[in-house]
Amino acid sequence: MQSWRRKSVWLALSASWLLLVLLGGFSLLRLALPPRPRPRAPQGWPRWLDADLLQSFSQPGELPEDAAQPPRAPHGGSCNWGSCFDTSKCRGDGLKVFVYPAAGPISETHRKILASIEDSRFHTFSPAGACLLLLLSLDAQTGECSSMPLQWNRGRNHLVLRLHPASCPRTFQLGQAMVAEASPTVDSFRAGFDVALPFLPEAHPLRGGAPGQLRQHSPQRGVALLALEEERGGWRTAGSNSSACPWDGRCEQDPGPGQTQRWEMLPNATFCLISGHRPQAASRFLQALQAGCIPVLLSPRWELPFSEVIDWTKAAIIADERLLLQVLAALQEMSPAQVLALRQQTQFLWDAYFSSVEKVIHTTLEVIQDRIFGTSAHPSLLWNSPPGALLALSTFSTSPQDFPFYHLQQGSRPEGRFSALIWVGASGQPPLKLIQAVAGSQHCAQILVLWSNERPLPSRWTETAVPLTVIDGCRKVSDRFFPYSTIRTDAILSLDARSSLSTSEVDFAFVVWQSFPERMVGFLTSSHFWDEAHGGWGYTAERTNEFSMVLTMAAFYHRYYHTLFTHSLPKALRTLADEAPTCVDVLMNFLVAAVTKLPPIKVPYGKQRQEAAPLVPGGPDTGPKLQAPDPNCINQIAAAFGHMPLRSSRLRLDPVLFKDPVSVQRKKYRSLEKP
């Protein structure tokens, strides 16, 4: 009997203890779940984890409901874009920026910022004609801090640029001024008015920048490496199948095998766990982005850079630091397709907006210009899809279908007509035979002749079945790539008066271009190479199996590249092309390759004409050989771009049955085989 009573007491105590543990466990789980964020202006921030990754941990109905709280007033009172910025000053020329001269010594990074603004299309030397007045907040390390400028006007239409958080104590009230600050805290950031910048190291390059370092696009099966940020610098790597306590030691499990590795080893890591409350965490964020290591931010206290326009849900994960073990388990459940998409997006964002000081500054100004344009600003697709908003100018269009690189994504196709643009140089004659050949194409919509000759215009031109327009006074070589309003088609056939093409060659080349509207499609090619002897880039027009450029004396491309050439390239590069006309082909190929990161496409060209090809447009007519541009020109352009964007190819597209031993009558482009 006593034994039975003893067992009954133990059963009762065990049941009570189990009930207590279960009730307490549910309470702890509820406490561990993150509360809903406070209502505030939309930021485009990702949630702390995708909902489908946490189905095994909680259900939507189990999340606690928090009462709505009024948003906290940030610094600057109730200042917002509508009340503290006068957009009427931006009418006419759009966003024009005047930079106040520095009152004291400046750092190397500040010099890079000034150079980036002065080389941009936004810069003006006149404060009276400026839409935005920019004040660089100097570092306290230089011994000087910025003082209030004379034209402060309570900060209205001003932008205070801070490269480091609270780099200088405030010597004056910001008032109505916007603040572009590196890694601002969430509490002080004014969404829709301030601009969040990345934390830039002093050695960040001015232009170009190092490419993304992603080497392994998807993790090995069953193993996904983690890179854990360390307090003393560097990263500690470990497998995600091990329980990890990166920083505070609150977990009792064995952290598992791991090793501290140098920064160069980061491309081998799939996820980078970054603490959200450490001052140096913001700089680690850029490191992870460049390495293609998916940033996993644990309760960040700072605003993500350019969160107003960048959709960080496609490249990063924000998690609650209290649920670290659940986060690690959720990362293991991610499919290889999700991992690949996130890693690819990190590489795109790094290259488009963060790889150089110039890109960071231009992105900042582009964000402000989008606010000015309002409904005419970049849609989210242009910001978050290659090549990015910096290379998809809103002054050209805001519709993705108008740009050459979104047709495949939109499921569209460029229109089936082209405009021929014929450049008549100083020693050229009216290209009557060329006009007849081009006008005979079934795809030709119009012909424009750019007359750059001192001789008077001919009184009569050959009659054609398509409209013929002559534009006189185009004296500079760069005028060939001006966005003329008379060009009504997407496709442009760029020609020189001394070019020689047949109608069949034109028709086939245009059909090829319709399948690759973002690329240049040409007949004559050249290639670049690295010259070890001179320590620079070289250029050859010799016919080889490999090429990286097509000559614009006979090439198809999209008309949008005229807009980029005129309004995006630095003025110094356009001047270089005017002073050295043989460099214009190199410059145009550099531009298209920098946008697409793809090589051009070669189509067949008559052998006899290729052996007796005319000179590059603009060069003196002294012989039958192609004149190669000065290697110094190529190196100057590469230095201005900050890297070598050209891509080499060995591909040539020919029509079906071309050179096949069948009847010529069965071939669509019959004249291609004629001498």
Side-chain angles (χ1 to χ4, degrees), residues 226 228 236 238-248 251 253-256 273 324-325 328:
L226 291 173
L228 312 176
R236 180 179 180 274
S240 63
N241 54 357
S242 62
S243 302
C245 277
W247 302 285
D248 51 16
C251 311
Q253 290 83 356
D254 179 12
L273 268 64
L324 183 58
L325 296 181
L328 297 179

Side-chain angles (χ1 to χ4, degrees), residues 162-163 165 181-185 196-199 279 281-283 301-303 305:
R162 292 175 177 164
L163 296 181
E181 185 177 1
S183 307
T185 61
L197 302 180
F199 190 94
S283 62
R301 308 291 193 270
W302 37 273
E303 190 81 6

Side-chain angles (χ1 to χ4, degrees), residues 342-416:
L342 289 168
R343 299 188 83 177
Q344 288 179 331
Q345 191 70 2
T346 62
Q347 299 299 273
F348 156 64
L349 293 177
W350 165 261
D351 181 72
Y353 306 118
F354 301 107
S355 61
S356 67
V357 174
E358 183 180 67
K359 290 178 181 177
V360 170
I361 298 303
H362 288 183
T363 304
T364 303
L365 299 180
E366 201 73 42
V367 168
I368 297 176
Q369 179 171 260
D370 270 11
R371 295 176 185 172
I372 296 172
F373 286 168
T375 56
S376 300
H378 290 98
S380 179
L381 175 65
L382 300 187
W383 277 106
N384 295 282
S385 299
L390 296 186
L391 295 173
L393 303 183
S394 58
T395 52
F396 176 79
S397 176
T398 57
S399 173
Q401 294 184 356
D402 293 334
F403 293 93
F405 21 79
Y406 295 113
H407 285 292
L408 182 61
Q409 188 173 359
Q410 296 289 311
S412 60
R413 186 178 176 87
E415 58 183 337

Side-chain angles (χ1 to χ4, degrees), residues 123-141:
H123 182 252
T124 180
F125 291 100
S126 171
C131 165
L132 180 68
L133 304 173
L134 191 144
L135 177 66
L136 285 176
S137 179
L138 302 182
D139 295 331
Q141 299 175 353

